[in-house]
């Protein structure tokens, strides 16, 4: 296997010691295996991402001596390396999921979602989207669109069974799928959520190993079901302990 790893910080602040360690682990793994170290900037959070933070990340990695083989300023043929410049790629794959019946448009307003969560809390039910827009018929969708409701695109999750992977750090990890919900892929403004953009980018950039902090371990089952739905090879996952 050709080793390709990535460090994908969000430019919403300065590089912290946990991020630096994750970058170092990826860098050393790539160098030890004759692989490729990719730097990707996950800047889809437009309200919090800043040019100053991007510059701080690049300067900090350079100061640490962690040079990237592909990324900003180093085109390896898999760019762009800023997620904000990859919107068309995400929309193309989202459309494929919707056409295959693996994603659907949700017209729920923030107020309706808040009321749903309050009702779940009162009933002591698990928190999560209840799928109320999943089976909308064409007339209902047309009416909601006529009301001017901007839809998000949600993944149509099969709640049966488990999502299991062999983590190279933690060993076997399993999540029951019925504790997940129909999570959002594209926001109403057309920008992707973290889990969707991450999967698309890792596939498009041929990432072989995903090495990251274990604060991301709860994201992994959602990402794996996306890989399966899209018919893509699932990378090797390794979740390292947090620095406290």
């Amino acid at each position: 296997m050709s080793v390709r790893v990535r460090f994908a910080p969000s430019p919403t602040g300065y590089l912290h010691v946990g991020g630096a360690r994750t970058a170092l682990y990826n860098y050393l793994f790539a160098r030890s295996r004759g692989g490729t170290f990719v730097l990707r900037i996950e800047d889809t959070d437009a309200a919090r991402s800043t040019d100053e933070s991007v510059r701080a990340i690049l300067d900090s990695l350079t100061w640490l001596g962690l040079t990237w083989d592909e990324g900003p300023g180093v085109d390896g043929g898999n760019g762009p390396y800023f997620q904000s410049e990859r919107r068309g790629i995400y929309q193309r794959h989202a459309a494929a999921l919707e056409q295959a019946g693996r994603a659907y448009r949700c017209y729920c307003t923030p107020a309706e979602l808040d009321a749903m969560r309050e009702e779940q809390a009162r009933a002591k039910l698990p928190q999560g989207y209840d799928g109320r827009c999943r089976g909308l018929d064409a007339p209902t969708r047309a009416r909601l669109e006529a009301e001017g409701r901007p839809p998000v695109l949600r993944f149509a999750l099969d709640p049966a069974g488990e999502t299991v992977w062999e983590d190279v750090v933690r060993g076997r990890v399993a999540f029951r799928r019925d504790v997940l919900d129909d999570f959002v892929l594209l926001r109403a403004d057309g920008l992707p959520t973290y889990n969707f953009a991450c999967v698309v980018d890792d596939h498009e950039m041929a990432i072989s190993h995903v090495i990251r902090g274990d604060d991301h371990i709860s994201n992994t089952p959602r990402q794996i079901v996306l890989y399966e739905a899209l018919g893509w090879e699932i990378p090797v996952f390794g979740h390292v302990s947090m620095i406290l």
Side-chain angles (χ1 to χ4, degrees):
M1 175 187 294
S2 176
V3 168
R4 288 178 59 84
V5 296
R6 48 75 166 175
F7 177 55
S10 177
T12 56
Y14 291 99
L15 183 68
H16 56 78
V17 67
R21 184 189 65 169
T22 297
L24 177 63
Y25 282 1
N26 279 278
Y27 175 85
L28 292 177
F29 184 66
R31 293 292 175 265
S32 69
R33 302 296 178 89
T36 302
F37 175 57
V38 179
L39 175 62
R40 184 172 74 228
I41 305 298
E42 298 189 342
D43 60 344
T44 56
D45 187 346
R48 298 177 59 217
S49 298
T50 66
D51 292 340
E52 180 185 6
S53 293
V54 171
R55 187 73 259 162
I57 289 169
L58 301 180
D59 289 346
S60 296
L61 291 174
T62 300
W63 180 81
L64 287 165
L66 304 183
T67 55
W68 49 96
D69 304 304
E70 293 182 24
V74 186
D75 186 8
N78 296 291
Y81 296 96
F82 288 82
Q83 285 187 334
S84 60
E85 300 173 9
R86 299 174 62 83
R87 180 183 288 211
I89 298 172
Y90 307 130
Q91 292 178 339
R92 173 164 51 86
H93 290 301
L97 285 171
E98 187 176 12
Q99 186 175 11
R102 300 307 307 271
Y104 63 93
R105 299 183 189 192
C106 169
Y107 298 88
C108 294
T109 65
E112 288 170 341
L113 293 174
D114 287 342
M116 178 196 70
R117 295 185 191 100
E118 290 172 6
E119 183 179 342
Q120 289 172 337
R122 284 194 299 270
K124 295 182 170 47
L125 295 172
Q127 295 283 300
Y129 185 67
D130 60 7
R132 61 183 64 182
C133 284
R134 187 165 179 169
L136 294 180
D137 56 27
T140 303
R141 287 198 301 271
R143 175 179 59 80
L144 294 172
E145 289 178 3
E147 292 176 6
R149 296 194 184 201
V152 301
L153 188 70
R154 290 184 181 272
F155 182 70
L157 179 77
D158 178 359
E162 291 184 322
T163 294
V164 182
W165 75 94
E166 193 66 29
D167 196 283
V168 294
V169 176
R170 295 187 164 274
R172 183 182 185 274
V173 182
F175 276 78
R176 286 179 18 230
R177 291 192 181 185
D178 60 4
V179 304
L180 307 175
D181 64 357
D182 290 355
F183 53 93
V184 175
L185 303 177
L186 294 181
R187 303 182 182 96
D189 61 4
L191 286 174
T193 58
Y194 165 76
N195 281 312
F196 184 51
C198 179
V199 167
V200 170
D201 288 345
D202 284 347
H203 169 75
E204 292 279 342
M205 296 179 182
I207 299 303
S208 63
H209 295 72
V210 175
I211 304 169
R212 58 190 180 188
D214 63 7
D215 54 328
H216 284 289
I217 204 164
S218 62
N219 290 318
T220 306
R222 293 176 174 86
Q223 293 173 8
I224 288 176
V225 296
L226 280 172
Y227 278 107
E228 292 172 342
L230 289 160
W232 294 343
E233 184 176 355
I234 300 170
V236 177
F237 288 99
H239 292 86
V240 299
S241 59
M242 298 284 286
I243 292 180
L244 302 178

